[in-house]
Amino acid sequence: MILKKEWIAMLLAGGQGSRLYALTRDIAKPAVPFGGKYRIIDFPLSNCVNSGIDTVGVLTQYQPLQLNEYIGNGQPWDLDRIHGGVYVLPPYQKSSNSDWYTGTANAIYQNINFINRYDPEYVVILSGDHIYKMDYSKMLEFHKQKQADCTIAVMEVPWEEASRFGIMACDEDKKIYEFAEKPKEPKSNLASMGIYIFSWGKLRKYLEEDEANPESENDFGKNVIPAMLQNGEKMYAYAFQGYWKDVGTIGSLWEANMDLLNPNVPLDLYDDSWKIYARNPVMPPQYVAETAVTQNAMITEGCIVEGEVDFSILFSGAVVEKGAVVHDSIIMPGSVVKAGAVVEYSIVAENVVIGENAKVGCRPENVEDKDAWGVTVIAKGIHIGKNVKIPAKAMIEQDVPEVESDDE
Amino acid sequence: MMNKTLGIVFSNMHDTMMAQLTEKRTMGSLPFGGRYRLIDFVLSNMINSGIKDVGIITKSNFQSLMDHLGTGKEWDLSRKKGGLTILPPYGRQEAVFYRGRLEALSNIYSYIRESKAELVVMSDCDNITSMDYADIIRYHKEKDADVTVVYQNKKITNAVHRDLTTISMDENRRVNGAYYNREAESGNVLLNITVIDKRLLERIVSEAVSGNQYSFTQYVLQQGNEALKIYGYEYKGYVADIKSLQSYYDCSMDLLKPEIRKEMFPTERPVYTKVRDEVPVKYGIDAVAKNAMIADGCVIEGTVENSIIFRGVKIGRGAVVKNSIIMQGTYVGENCLLDCVITDKDVMIRDSKKLIGCKEYPFFIEKGTAV
């Protein structure tokens, strides 16, 4: 027997995140490590649980192995439930046809049966690549109060950036009358956050119609939302205030991590009333040695710091040896920065070894051509040899053998 | 082999020796090493050695222990068959408030009898080590022993010279004598880790009850060493032997030594504990941390030196914490100075306070105190 649920969430986690390049070579974007001990997907999952949603379907497609393993039975998020809980939903074979998920709307369409089992009044559609804390129950209240068919979470963005987003134009009552995907001349600065609440009956109807339309790309932003708007459905914009960041690019991923170190950024991970949950590694507390310098940093369990860490985030089990320097960087789980190495403005993925006296990345002020500067990325499992220099903006996906020291 | 082994943990042994720290908790739930409770080490040893059934004998003050252990899922002991069983002191009608190990075991007689195990590994909580019990069991079988007791040859110092059993052995390490609190320079000190055949244990326990015997040392090791084949197994690794506030302090400080950390936390034998979903440690602009073990959830804005900092501790700007053990949830205000202090959980130290003990006599602050 399946008990009826008032609302359930569907989390779109199938995208490759191709703009994260080396970081998503063999894991899906939502599984990318973030903030010292989390993965990106921990944020929407924790938001669900904290908002009172106990049934979440996670739609996976690209490189789902790590994500499946990570989510497991959902216990770390308290989503191991008798009725409901978290389910990983990959595309599957059907008697008549079988398809990959061709778009965001198609992914939900293919799981209509899953949603129907819970017979929900409302369905929350989320994406797995945003960092934010949000109480979806307040948004649902708004949705009910407006008797809306669809509510879209929006936030104000600077006018000059508005043309990069899906922009909602709405009246004083927050009723949306126009939606434009990346408009050249935006009519408002309210950008869609990719968070939707639909009344399920309405959404199901539109998903079925969308599927029947051969010209559709089966995408929420491009097809379903415009179609609903065109038919005059009741669509409202729910204004969100607080921190929200799309971490779809190397630059924004690096920035969002650094934001955690900035006391002026309104994303408080230390707030007990809205914890972000994660699958915890089993490791002893960190050890900071006599020779260490640790300032403006987030450092977690299993780390050993003997060198200098400033404006940086170390993930579980990361090691910074004596005389090594890590500045403005992100060192993901299990990576080692050997003695005397310098890492600046870099993202070092999991289980990387940075050899002795190697130099990875560089400060923007030390680059003459500012356009050539960017965050350096070292992909998972790579070994950077002794004394090697890796320039700014480089993306290293193959081992680099050691070189002679040029000091001699 | 190991799935035919039952683990039994005595969570309350030696509670009374550390009045302050165990006033409101069992020895097993005493916090240690930044994020652990003493029982975590024993339980992790058991599961890392492949033991899948573990019974925890409790006596008093065991609410914090039950809260910590829950269903045992953090140790992977939440199982349909076996797994973790918390054994409360009055688990059966004729149960008594036990005086010794044998009496404690008689209280859980039916639990032992119903187990399908062939061997039993019994351990206290206050000898903290990372040990593979499979080695002891192998030795037990090689010797064709009835009982194997683990000992360490070491100096007997005053700090640990309480409820201390030493053994003497012949050249084959067969135990031929056991002594309780015997004055000596050094000796073969028992770690209270014992391997015994299950059927034999059942027999001993029921005989002991009828003979009004309650002490394992007395009845088995002293009176029974001729009739039973009891062997000693020497353990040479590091053991944190926690018997007093002072030894608690010294053993905690030992964790700052890299070689001891390596022995206590080998990567292939992780130490499991209750997960609290803490955030990584955040170091502020002027934070200084030197030679410190710091658990997640802390916010460090001052200076920490030679200290163990538990989960969720806040250390304010300008504060200096040296040679101290700061337990979970402690708040240290701005410009405080703490030297050789042990704060129990949830202590609040207001701005600019100075609290100084010494290494030979650390200053202890009770749970929940505001200074």
Side-chain angles (χ1 to χ4, degrees), chain A residues 270 275 283 287-288 297 300, chain B residues 35 276 278 280 283 291-292 296:
Chain A
Y270 294 82
K275 265 193 184 180
M283 287 193 175
Y287 175 71
V288 184
T300 189
Chain B
R35 64 189 294 254
R276 279 177 39 95
E278 293 282 9
Y283 292 93
N291 191 33
D296 275 4

Side-chain angles (χ1 to χ4, degrees), chain B residues 4-236:
Chain B
K4 291 190 172 166
T5 305
L6 172 69
I8 292 179
V9 178
F10 295 92
S11 70
N12 282 75
M13 283 298 157
H14 311 134
D15 276 7
T16 50
M17 294 187 183
M18 325 198 25
Q20 296 156 309
L21 281 170
T22 53
E23 198 175 21
K24 294 206 173 86
R25 54 168 81 94
T26 63
M27 194 59 134
S29 53
L30 180 63
F32 184 70
R35 64 189 294 254
Y36 305 100
R37 307 275 186 146
L38 291 193
I39 200 162
D40 293 339
F41 292 87
V42 186
L43 275 184
S44 300
N45 281 342
M46 293 214 167
I47 56 168
N48 289 331
S49 308
I51 297 174
K52 296 184 175 74
D53 289 343
V54 183
I56 314 273
I57 296 183
T58 58
K59 187 177 190 178
S60 51
N61 273 339
F62 54 88
Q63 198 205 319
S64 68
L65 187 73
M66 287 180 65
D67 177 49
H68 180 68
L69 294 172
T71 59
K73 69 174 182 235
E74 324 266 17
W75 296 266
D76 207 21
L77 286 173
S78 174
R79 301 266 72 98
K80 293 220 172 188
K81 278 187 187 163
L84 182 83
T85 311
I86 295 174
L87 302 160
Y90 299 106
R92 51 182 207 137
Q93 204 168 18
E94 59 275 35
V96 291
F97 200 69
Y98 63 81
R99 292 165 289 177
R101 289 190 178 79
L102 282 180
E103 215 158 37
L105 290 166
S106 77
N107 283 350
I108 63 156
Y109 184 71
S110 58
Y111 173 76
I112 300 172
R113 203 186 52 215
E114 280 158 25
S115 162
K116 302 269 189 297
E118 289 169 6
L119 284 178
V120 178
V121 176
M122 301 189 286
S123 177
D124 291 355
C125 287
D126 49 352
N127 282 309
I128 306 305
T129 177
S130 175
M131 189 187 285
D132 191 347
Y133 297 146
D135 293 341
I136 309 166
I137 290 174
R138 209 170 298 123
Y139 178 88
H140 179 85
K141 294 202 164 158
E142 267 166 34
K143 292 283 186 189
D144 192 26
D146 295 319
V147 182
T148 300
V149 288
V150 182
Y151 71 91
Q152 198 160 43
N153 190 289
K154 60 178 179 183
K155 274 193 189 152
I156 297 173
T157 54
N158 263 343
V160 294
H161 188 180
R162 299 163 89 180
D163 189 27
L164 182 104
T165 309
T166 48
I167 51 167
S168 59
M169 292 168 292
D170 68 12
E171 65 280 9
N172 288 323
R173 303 220 171 157
R174 182 160 170 188
V175 175
N176 53 24
Y179 313 92
Y180 189 70
N181 284 354
R182 186 163 76 159
E183 292 289 341
E185 288 272 302
S186 66
N188 298 322
V189 178
L190 289 193
L191 299 182
N192 296 324
I193 297 167
T194 307
V195 175
I196 184 167
D197 282 23
K198 198 200 86 159
R199 284 185 183 283
L200 175 65
L201 181 66
E202 280 174 40
R203 205 186 77 212
I204 289 173
V205 170
S206 55
E207 281 171 10
V209 172
S210 54
N212 194 26
Q213 296 278 352
Y214 56 85
S215 161
F216 188 83
T217 306
Q218 219 174 8
Y219 187 63
V220 180
L221 301 183
Q222 290 179 334
Q223 298 166 16
N225 67 47
E226 278 179 26
L228 297 170
K229 285 179 288 177
I230 304 174
Y231 283 87
Y233 174 92
E234 185 173 15
Y235 181 69
K236 291 196 168 133

